Amino acid sequence: MISYRIVEGRKLRCGYTTGTCAAAAAKAATIMLLTNMSLEKVEISTPGGEKLSLRVEECTIKECEAACAVRKDAGDDTDATDGILIFAAAKRMPGRKGIELAAGIGIGIVTQPGLACSVGMPAINPIPRKMITEAVSQAAHAHSCEEGIQVTIFIPQGEEVAKKTFNSRLGILGGLSVLGTS
């Protein structure tokens, strides 16, 4: 389903955030890990309750890990991240419980106070963190997985694309921030 919003009298097609892409990729990677099967699409709900079915790309499955990507679509309000791939890798954590979230290449690090993430931490904001954790948890529960899962979010183009954003002025260095509130 395509949604629209009106901005200054213009009808704009809505896209989805880096956070939504990261959560969708994390859910897909977890399902792939637990089923040993690649996916073409994954369903996810946004914080606003909208249900999305997003295309899954670049699937890889190894013995103990699965990874894939979801392509960012900024809609009609394009930004520097439009069209890039947001990846997630899921890995079993035998003997452990819960979901562990990690940041890989292309995710920026917070270097100044005043943002939603602490200084020295990856720039994955609280709402996307919650979305990712909930998506992975849902996938694990649906496939009767009781062991822990580590999910790493990474954006291979992140460092280069970040140079076209305001991230460095905000104190986010080395990559992109994973944002999303709607």
Side-chain angles (χ1 to χ4, degrees):
M1 180 175 105
I2 299 173
S3 60
Y4 295 89
R5 63 188 164 117
I6 306 299
V7 177
E8 297 178 4
R10 291 181 34 219
K11 184 177 175 181
L12 298 178
R13 182 181 60 83
C14 294
Y16 27 89
T17 65
T18 52
T20 296
C21 295
K27 182 176 183 180
T30 301
I31 293 169
M32 289 169 36
L33 174 71
L34 300 176
T35 64
N36 204 34
M37 295 172 55
S38 291
L39 297 179
E40 290 183 17
K41 291 195 174 235
V42 66
E43 291 187 9
I44 193 153
S45 294
T46 67
E50 186 175 355
K51 294 197 185 300
L52 301 173
S53 180
L54 302 179
R55 186 168 172 254
V56 179
E57 301 183 38
E58 299 199 19
C59 299
T60 59
I61 302 172
K62 297 178 184 172
E63 186 177 327
C64 300
E65 182 177 69
C68 63
V70 170
R71 191 170 300 278
K72 169 75 160 58
D73 178 357
D76 287 338
D77 189 18
T78 60
D79 62 28
T81 63
D82 188 47
I84 67 170
L85 292 171
I86 311 294
F87 284 84
K91 190 162 102 175
R92 293 177 187 267
M93 297 189 307
R96 294 170 59 185
K97 298 253 184 225
I99 312 298
E100 183 180 298
L101 179 59
I105 190 168
I107 304 294
I109 300 296
V110 176
T111 63
Q112 296 176 15
L115 298 173
C117 302
S118 300
V119 172
M121 297 301 294
I124 302 176
N125 281 5
I127 290 176
R129 279 181 182 276
K130 182 178 179 192
M131 287 177 66
I132 293 164
T133 302
E134 287 176 356
V136 171
S137 213
Q138 288 169 0
H141 180 74
H143 292 88
S144 302
C145 176
E146 295 185 14
E147 66 188 359
I149 296 177
Q150 179 189 60
V151 175
T152 303
I153 306 300
F154 59 103
I155 307 171
Q157 292 178 274
E159 192 169 357
E160 189 61 34
V161 173
K163 294 173 184 173
K164 301 173 188 172
T165 71
F166 290 110
N167 277 11
S168 63
R169 292 184 207 162
L170 298 173
I172 301 167
L173 301 179
L176 292 168
S177 50
V178 178
L179 306 172
T181 56
S182 61

